[in-house]
Amino acid sequence: MRSEISMTVDRGAFEDAVTPWERESWRAAALDWVRERLADHGLRAGGELRVRLRPWSVLARVPVEGRDPVWFKANPRAAAFEGPLTAALARRVPGHVLEPLAVDAARAWSLLPDGGDLFRHVLAREAVEPAAWEDLLRQYAGVQLALTPHTGELVRLGVPTARTLDLPEVFDRLLAANTALEPDARARVTAVRPRIVDWCAELAAIGVEDTLDHADLHDGQLFRPKPGRFTFFDWGDAAVSHPFCSLRVTAERAREHYGPQVLPRLRDAYLEPWTGTGRPAADLRRAASLAWRLSSLGRAASWGRMFPDPARPAPGATQSAEWLLDLLNEPPF
């Protein structure tokens, strides 16, 4: 494969990021693995390989002769669970996620089919009503509900745990490890800990069970293969935590398109599937507000899942610090 196709490399805003792609031996092994796994399916690569390098992943679009392209992804060790998790989701919630063509759990490599239209591209080329975002949130909530009985399996696959009542300890670890917070900011964040304990206790008392939280479900992590249907992917930031923490990223992205008035209707659409649990709507809305705030911890934690860089002993510390500071902000509903 190395000699059969040309390639372009996109580093985006991360020209200095260190990834395994820089090592020739790793790159050769990865490309050989892609070739071999394609051959397992009777496929052959052809055309230009487009490689996207970021501090948190190596992603390559691989053209395939006679069919849609496939995607190779390599995760850092802290997100090595993504390939096995994606395979498990394909079994548990088929049709809602991509089904991997191959997974190498030991090397944190995955080979995935193309998912069709990226929702971000749909938004760029045509008018999309807020109702489409409501549909995706209902479908995603249905996925979370279906996975709730299987959280033990997800944990055994290595998915990080950030259970609702454990979030104060997650906060402690993130705060202690962060090297980017200035003293005044650290003091303000530290002062909010007693409130985090109270928020977590209140949220847990409402009784919605912890399950899979995507933690970064925006329009670039969704395929829309056809109107009204969505495919969820890119689970490298996921955790077993309170499910409602997932709402925030999606709702904030929709707010950029439609303004803040869209938030209550998106919240209520997301909560619809959860009303079958018998909990009052007011309790679910309160839970959504609490989880919105606590979702900052999941976002802060995700910035630690990056390829090691000797020149930066605490990768993602600045971004993680910003999310810790966000705990001080009131939710929008």
Side-chain angles (χ1 to χ4, degrees):
M1 179 177 177
R2 284 168 279 165
S3 61
E4 295 167 4
I5 62 173
S6 60
M7 65 183 73
T8 60
V9 177
D10 163 30
R11 293 181 177 272
F14 303 93
E15 288 295 333
D16 297 330
V18 175
T19 72
W21 186 261
E22 282 73 47
R23 301 200 306 271
E24 183 177 357
S25 59
W26 186 96
R27 188 168 64 247
L31 294 177
D32 284 344
W33 183 80
V34 171
R35 175 182 54 78
E36 293 163 2
R37 301 292 76 77
L38 285 174
D40 292 342
H41 292 273
L43 302 173
R44 178 183 173 90
E48 184 177 68
L49 186 75
R50 298 211 302 260
V51 183
R52 180 180 179 271
L53 303 180
R54 298 295 186 265
W56 53 85
S57 69
V58 172
L59 184 67
R61 180 185 183 275
V62 184
V64 176
E65 294 177 354
R67 57 159 284 169
D68 292 335
V70 299
W71 298 82
F72 165 77
K73 185 172 185 179
N75 292 92
R77 294 313 310 168
F81 62 85
E82 185 181 3
L85 170 62
T86 303
L89 296 181
R91 296 191 300 271
R92 295 297 185 186
V93 285
H96 294 286
V97 300
L98 297 176
E99 181 177 357
L101 297 170
V103 170
D104 186 324
R107 292 189 285 192
W109 293 351
S110 304
L111 193 65
L112 299 159
D114 190 71
D117 258 345
L118 198 65
F119 191 41
R120 177 174 294 169
H121 296 162
V122 175
L123 294 169
R125 72 168 185 256
E126 63 187 64
V128 176
E129 295 298 318
W133 295 76
E134 295 174 30
D135 287 342
L136 80 84
L137 284 168
R138 290 189 192 97
Q139 289 175 36
Y140 174 69
V143 167
Q144 290 182 296
L145 277 163
L147 293 172
T148 300
H150 306 292
T151 54
E153 176 187 354
L154 304 184
V155 172
R156 288 191 294 274
L157 291 173
V159 179
T161 58
R163 295 186 181 276
T164 303
L165 288 175
D166 295 335
L167 288 175
E169 285 70 38
V170 172
F171 168 81
D172 291 342
R173 292 196 298 271
L174 290 168
L175 185 60
N178 192 276
T179 59
L181 282 166
E182 298 294 336
D184 177 66
R186 181 174 294 275
R188 288 189 291 126
V189 172
T190 301
V192 82
R193 191 189 191 280
R195 299 185 67 194
I196 292 174
V197 174
D198 292 341
W199 295 331
C200 291
E202 183 182 357
L203 182 57
I206 292 172
V208 176
E209 293 182 61
D210 293 331
T211 185
L212 190 64
D213 168 22
H214 184 287
D216 195 25
L217 191 63
H218 57 70
D219 53 332
Q221 316 279 45
L222 294 158
F223 293 112
R224 196 203 69 170
K226 60 182 180 179
R229 187 66 177 176
F230 295 90
T231 304
F232 309 105
F233 73 101
D234 202 340
W235 299 91
D237 291 335
V240 171
S241 190
H242 197 283
F244 293 6
C245 289
S246 290
L247 173 61
R248 178 172 181 171
V249 171
T250 315
E252 285 186 331
R253 193 58 60 91
R255 179 171 59 185
E256 295 173 6
H257 287 271
Y258 309 107
Q261 68 276 5
V262 78
L263 293 179
R265 63 183 287 187
L266 294 183
R267 173 201 61 196
D268 292 347
Y270 172 74
L271 293 177
E272 279 181 27
W274 302 94
T275 59
T277 61
R279 294 176 182 83
D283 286 357
L284 292 175
R285 290 185 182 129
R286 176 57 180 164
S289 179
L290 291 164
W292 181 288
R293 190 168 219 154
L294 291 166
S295 67
S296 296
L297 293 171
R299 297 301 303 129
S302 70
W303 282 99
R305 302 178 199 172
M306 302 171 77
F307 292 116
D309 182 347
R312 296 177 178 86
T318 299
Q319 295 88 344
S320 183
E322 291 170 355
W323 280 106
L324 289 173
L325 284 164
D326 188 75
L327 288 163
L328 307 174
N329 297 328
E330 292 293 330
F333 46 67

